[in-house]
Amino acid sequence: MTISATDRAVLGTWEDREEDFAAAQYSGKFRDAPEIVIGEETGLVLSAVHGVKHKRRGVVKEEDEGTGGLCSALGYVLGLTTAIVHDGELANDANSDPDHPIKTDLANLSLPANGGVLVDLHGMSVRRKKSGQWSEHGQDIVIGLGKDLGNSRAVGELLRDAFIEQGLVVDFGGDITTWRAQGTGTMTMWAQNRGCSAVQIEILDRFRQEKSDHQEKIRLVHSLINGLRAVRKMSC
């Protein structure tokens, strides 16, 4: 794989911006930056709602390390609009609460624009609990399609192909892990119900953490850049 200038720009920006999250111990109270940053492209929106600690059913959950900074970096370098929760303890989980403030703000701004695309970034560990038992699922990436409305499957396929090209193992549709993004309050379902296409991307921790191998981060970044460019071309 040839590392491009864009790869380097995203990686460097990601590391810089993730330092802000880490310095605040992922509390999200590190700055007054807007949660929604409108880029030159408004029809393709990236979101990261678990980049900081957040509440789910009243219990504080740990952050999906790396996703907030990654989302911000991709948006900045590629000119995409981003929606990133900065303080997850002020409200319920944005990926389960259908009335979360970030959804209200996106809707008020008519984003994604013109029935566009939402790509929601999340993090996962190497194991999952199924039928009361913990086991390794063996996946690097999970692409949840929600209810597979609009062009969601086509969007997911473009991203899947970009990941596979870099040798990543992809659970497409969540059939292996059961992470399908079909909960009524997920960002994916919210966007699809508003007439947009949307997918949820779960990223294995070894590709997105501060301690992750540099080459693994490059593979992830390269895949996302290529996949998002293909989605942008399709949706515009």
Side-chain angles (χ1 to χ4, degrees):
M1 177 185 69
T2 301
I3 301 174
S4 69
T6 305
D7 293 339
R8 292 190 179 92
V10 170
L11 184 61
T13 305
W14 177 14
E15 291 175 344
D16 287 344
R17 298 196 174 184
E18 195 64 24
E19 287 180 359
D20 291 338
F21 288 85
Q25 298 180 328
Y26 293 92
S27 71
K29 301 170 185 177
F30 56 87
R31 59 181 176 176
D32 296 323
E35 296 203 324
I36 297 172
V37 176
I38 299 177
E40 61 185 62
E41 175 58 66
T42 58
L44 174 54
V45 176
L46 296 183
S47 60
V49 299
H50 287 169
V52 293
K53 291 178 174 61
H54 50 281
K55 287 183 180 177
R56 186 181 303 164
R57 293 184 289 276
V59 177
V60 177
K61 307 288 289 186
E62 291 300 303
E63 69 279 354
D64 292 349
E65 182 185 339
T67 57
L70 176 60
C71 181
S72 179
L74 287 165
Y76 176 74
V77 175
L78 299 181
L80 307 178
T81 295
T82 57
I84 303 169
V85 170
H86 286 155
D87 193 341
E89 298 179 43
L90 285 179
N92 292 321
D93 180 6
N95 208 41
S96 63
D97 183 356
D99 300 314
H100 190 278
I102 203 164
K103 291 172 177 167
T104 301
D105 290 345
L106 284 167
N108 288 340
L109 291 167
S110 298
L111 295 170
N114 303 317
V117 177
L118 176 80
V119 177
D120 188 32
L121 302 180
H122 288 263
M124 63 178 178
S125 67
V126 72
R127 300 195 305 161
R128 69 156 288 115
K129 194 173 186 179
K130 190 174 182 180
S131 301
Q133 301 293 322
W134 288 96
S135 61
E136 293 191 8
H137 51 70
Q139 306 301 303
D140 297 326
I141 299 289
V142 180
I143 299 178
L145 302 176
K147 291 297 184 183
D148 197 6
L149 301 177
N151 292 322
S152 299
R153 180 169 293 271
V155 169
E157 287 172 345
L158 291 172
L159 291 161
R160 175 200 62 193
D161 293 347
F163 288 124
I164 290 175
E165 185 178 347
Q166 294 305 313
L168 277 67
V169 180
V170 181
D171 178 13
F172 184 68
D175 291 339
I176 295 172
T177 60
T178 71
W179 291 323
R180 300 186 176 96
Q182 290 180 344
T184 56
T186 64
M187 294 292 291
T188 301
M189 287 297 300
W190 171 82
Q192 289 182 0
N193 288 333
R194 293 186 65 251
C196 301
S197 302
V199 297
Q200 175 178 291
I201 300 180
E202 296 274 0
I203 304 168
L204 190 63
D205 48 17
R206 72 184 177 92
F207 291 94
R208 57 180 170 78
Q209 295 180 323
E210 190 275 332
K211 64 182 180 182
S212 297
D213 180 79
H214 183 78
Q215 292 303 314
E216 296 288 57
K217 285 186 172 182
I218 285 289
R219 290 170 69 202
L220 174 65
V221 164
H222 190 82
S223 300
L224 283 166
I225 290 170
N226 287 346
L228 290 169
R229 280 175 168 168
V231 171
R232 187 176 189 175
K233 184 177 181 180
M234 180 199 78
S235 60
C236 296

